[in-house]
Amino acid sequence: MAPFFWLPGILSLLLVLHWEHGAGSPTPDKATCTTDHPCPSNLMTQIKNQLEQLNSTANTLFVLYYTAQGEPFPSEVDKLCGGHDLTNFPPFHAEGTEKDKLVELYRIIAYFNISLGNIMEDQKTLNPNDQNLHSKLSSTADTVRGLLNNVLCHLCNEYNMGHVDMSFGPDISGNDIFHKKKLGCQCLFNYKQVIAELTQAF
Amino acid sequence: MLTLWTRVVQAAFIFLTTESIGVLLDPCGHISPESPVVQLGSNFTAVCVLKEKCMDNFAVNADNIFWKTNHAIVPKEQYTVINRTASSVTFRDVSSLNTQLTCNIYAFGQIEQNVYGITIISGLPPEKPKNLNCIVNEEKNMMCQWDPGRKTYLETNYTLKSEWATEKFADCKAQRDTPNSCTLDYSPVYFVNIEVWVEAENALGNITSDHINFDPIDKVKPNPPHNLSVRSSEELSSILKLAWINPSIKSFLRLKYSIQYRTKDASTWSQIPPEDTSSTRSSFTVQDLKPFTEYVFRIRCMKEDGKGFWSDWSEEASGITYEARPSKEPSFWYKIDPSHTHGYRPVKLIWKTLPPFEANGKILDYEVTLTRWKSHFQNYRVNDTKLTVNLTNDRYIATLTARNLVGRSDASVLTIPACDFRAAHPVMDLKAFPKDNKLWVEWTAPTESVNKYILEWCVLSDKSPCIPDWQQEDGTVHLTYLRGNLMESKCYLITVTPVYADGPGSPESVRAYLKQAAPSKGPTVRTKKVGKNEAVLEWDQLPVDVQNGFIRNYTILYKTAFGNETAVNVDSSHTEYTLSSLTSDTLYMVRMAAYTDEGGMYGPDFTFTTPKFAQGEIEAIVVPVCLAFLLTTLLGVLFCFNKRDLIKKHIWPNVPDPSKSHIAQWSPHTPLRHNFNSKDQMYSDGNFTDVSVVEIEVNDKKPFPEDLKSMDLFKKEKNSTEGHSSGIGGSSCMSSSRPSISSGDENESGQNTLSTVQYSTVVHSGYRHQVPPVQVFSRSESTQPLLDSEERPEDLQLVDNVDSGDGVLPRQQYFKQNCSQHETSQDISHFERPKQVSSVNEEDFVRLKQQQISDHISQSCGSEQMKMFQEISTAAVFGPGTEGEVERFETVEMEAAIDEGMPKSYLPQTVRQGGYVPQ
């Protein structure tokens, strides 16, 4: 999906995140729970397929990312990307109800969507010529937005939830280039693990 | 200063000009609506409003308004004057797409002036787009298509709209030239339903299509599998292993496949059963393939559940199956050279290379085994497809196997019979026919068990020899086609030979064409015989090289110069035809065509002319006429003969010239003529009134048979002379066969002429054995002077001497005719000769001789006389020097000589012993 289509969504979501910063539990907002047209009946199937789709491409994206960053990332990938969990993915409880899992899924995907947006912006300047990486990042972002649409649609239709309280992600603005690369690598590494868990849970 | 003034003038000019244009551009009114767009078939009303200023200047009002559409005045019935300044016009059921509508006035009542003009644009509102559908090209874009409906004739915008349940996407505007599709330049997100619809809008309205809501994954067209590879297996020659790389969508989407394959030279594809490729995979083993065969493969994929679209076909990949043992024995046949040498016969064994689907690999060589007796083998390993061996006259068994890398074929067995083998049992009902551009051969199998059939064929031609090709068929086959490069319009001689266990059977042959055509040349017709009313035409059979097919029939077209053409069809087995009912003495033009099943060709034109008369027709007329003439002539001659005395009396009676006659001696005992009563009685009709009777007693001692002999000889000569007797004798006077006989007698007597009296008749003895008492002298009736015998007593003496030399005078009885030519000739030769020698010149004698030569040529009778005369006249009188001159004379001169020199009748008669008996 073209970037200019999802930028407004990110901005609005960020507003939500800012507004709801510090909230501990999801709060349904019936007033805003409206969709332009009815959601399909096979939403859960689509959500599962989307998770599988993201899971099938997560590792490829991760490898493509750290490879594109150059040394020392390829040689020190575990150390640089997996050693410290600086990214703070929202928690997920696989044993919860479908509604709870969908809410937690929404938080995780929304969190990753913001992080992925930051990574894409940084990579445009750090690796402007790596079209393959940009394409994969963009494709993943599109899929993530689609997943958010489906989860929100399902929460709205099934559980009448208009929005979900969110926590902020790490602020990586202003850091140096290496740190940006490292944060992005750590984010994608954790995303790879989280998405695998989510796929398994749904 | 000057510059400043110039600039002022310019400024003033510009100002005035601008003012003028402003006035000119200011219309006197306007039309409402300004830019109308009207739906086709609807009504439209326009109003023209005049300005007060113009109305005053031009003295007009709304009543003076008239309307024009495309320069044609609109009828006033469509006008409506609303008030003093406004007039409207109404058009019903607008059908024109673009119309120029102008409002006009007559300034000052007569000057036409345009007030305002507008363009009416007509069209239709858009119809609701139908059949909206989308296709998602993996990793590329999504394209949606729809049916825009009828043509609007207006600028119509089609916009494809799409949205999620929670988000709207940018519109996709269709191109002007493709109002039925629009392509989103991004790939939609899978597993999220998207709602899509089309909005159509133009000046007359807008409309929206039905919305469609779908998951893009159900509309996806995946990228085709790539890197397709083919690998063979040494263990199995009938399989090939395929492998490929799936499109990236396979990571989250289950796929099914479609695999097709074909042999390298084939054009149609075979399909792997879909159920075998209905799940995601990246390899597949294709089975049941032919050994050592190159196959080409291709593959495509789509979503496993069948939703969406098949991908494009992958790039083709090929592979060759592994070799296998030859699956069939080679076709095997032989030819025997008929020339035997020293008890051996050269046998040429020939075989066909196995086709690839039977060779199952590369044939390395062939092994030929010849078995004379069970224990006698001869083995040959040959790379070629023929082998010539010298065999004895015994029976042989030949076997042939083909070998490739994997193994050998079955053996092809052929029996080469002994020399004294008699082939029999041919196939029956052999026929050949073209079908589907092939030449098929069909036959009925013999009752005996046939191992196989050998089909041989070659092109029949007069220019090149028959070079046969051949093929082998199984013993169960009775219908096949010739597997060779056959040519159209060529005559093929096809021979089928059944092959039995003990040797080949009798061959049967048939001719056929793959495709017939019209002959290249037509037959050349000519006449064999031309009659008055018919003509026999003939022609040669066309050479096989120009026939181009089976000659079914000939067509003969013939006509006269100005007549209609007549066509005759002739069976192809004929080579001649008789045109009947022709007109005599007429020129006919003939041309002839030979026809095959596919058409005909005319030969060169030929002309002939029928004769005026039929054959023998002239002869049928001339011969009877000639015969009638001859018959008439003959009857005339006979009549003259019978009436000769009467004719003679009336035409040239004998008138003796007393002044030229003298009496030598009168015999008082001469009996009167009238005493010859017997002769009168014999010739009672008085025909012989002027005939003297001469009786000569010849003391002929020749026996009577000798006379008979001479008579026989005479008769023979007579027979040969009868045909000419009319020539001289007829012309002399009334000669007949009787005088001819007498001449024959005279011939004999001619030899005794020297001893006989020619000038008159002297009777020595009595008539009919009556002995006269005294010698009787008979007077000659001739007017010829009778002085020779008196003046030339030596001649008489010579006669006496001759007579005395003979000893005995012939005693014969004659009836002498005065007009006898023979007599005349002899008279001339013997009695005029002395006179002629003395009185006529040499030329006269030559004439005489010429006559005799002529007689000799024209008359075979009397040849002895001629000879004798010739000898006497030339040798004794003129000598040999005269012959050359004789030969230079013409026939006419000879006749003239006869007429002049020889009296034809009333020749003087000489009394034998110098006496005369006047009559």
Side-chain angles (χ1 to χ4, degrees), chain B residues 445-681:
Chain B
T447 54
E448 287 71 19
S449 174
V450 179
N451 287 353
K452 63 182 181 183
Y453 294 97
I454 298 295
L455 278 74
E456 297 171 286
W457 67 89
C458 67
V459 176
L460 282 180
S461 173
D462 296 329
K463 300 174 182 175
S464 57
C466 179
I467 302 172
D469 196 356
W470 66 282
Q471 70 185 49
Q472 176 180 310
E473 298 294 339
D474 292 337
T476 57
V477 173
H478 59 89
L479 173 64
T480 185
Y481 65 89
L482 302 184
R483 294 184 289 274
N485 293 324
L486 304 184
M487 296 176 288
E488 296 179 352
S489 308
K490 296 290 183 185
C491 183
Y492 285 94
L493 179 64
I494 303 166
T495 304
V496 178
T497 306
V499 180
Y500 303 99
D502 58 345
S506 297
E508 280 289 310
S509 297
V510 67
R511 295 185 180 197
Y513 286 86
L514 176 63
K515 183 174 174 55
Q516 297 188 53
S520 306
K521 291 180 180 177
T524 302
V525 67
R526 57 186 181 275
T527 52
K528 183 179 180 182
K529 179 183 175 185
V530 180
K532 181 181 176 183
N533 299 116
E534 65 178 21
V536 180
L537 304 178
E538 67 174 0
W539 59 92
D540 297 326
Q541 295 280 6
L542 287 176
V544 69
D545 290 303
V546 302
Q547 287 185 6
N548 297 338
F550 294 113
I551 302 298
R552 301 301 187 193
N553 67 287
Y554 297 105
T555 296
I556 300 173
L557 298 175
Y558 65 98
K559 64 174 184 178
T560 60
F562 303 104
N564 293 329
E565 200 167 47
T566 305
V568 178
N569 286 330
V570 183
D571 188 78
S572 61
S573 62
H574 296 169
T575 56
E576 67 175 46
Y577 183 80
T578 302
L579 299 179
S580 57
S581 302
L582 301 181
T583 306
S584 62
D585 194 21
T586 304
L587 176 68
Y588 280 90
M589 297 174 62
V590 182
R591 57 183 181 143
M592 184 173 181
Y595 281 89
T596 66
D597 292 337
E598 298 297 324
M601 175 62 74
Y602 280 94
D605 289 351
F606 177 77
T607 59
F608 66 89
T609 304
T610 52
K612 199 168 185 177
F613 298 102
Q615 188 175 10
E617 196 172 68
I618 296 175
E619 289 81 349
I621 296 171
V622 171
V623 168
V625 169
C626 291
L627 289 175
F629 176 76
L630 287 175
L631 185 61
T632 305
T633 305
L634 186 61
L635 290 175
V637 169
L638 288 175
F639 178 79
C640 292
F641 182 78
N642 290 331
K643 301 294 183 183
R644 62 185 182 280
D645 292 337
L646 186 63
I647 293 171
K648 182 179 176 182
K649 282 183 178 178
H650 285 88
I651 298 177
W652 60 84
N654 287 333
V655 180
D657 187 0
S659 64
K660 293 183 180 180
S661 64
H662 58 272
I663 300 173
Q665 186 176 355
W666 290 96
S667 173
H669 303 289
T670 301
L672 295 176
R673 285 172 53 189
H674 302 287
N675 293 337
F676 297 101
N677 294 330
S678 62
K679 289 192 172 50
D680 291 339
Q681 292 172 356

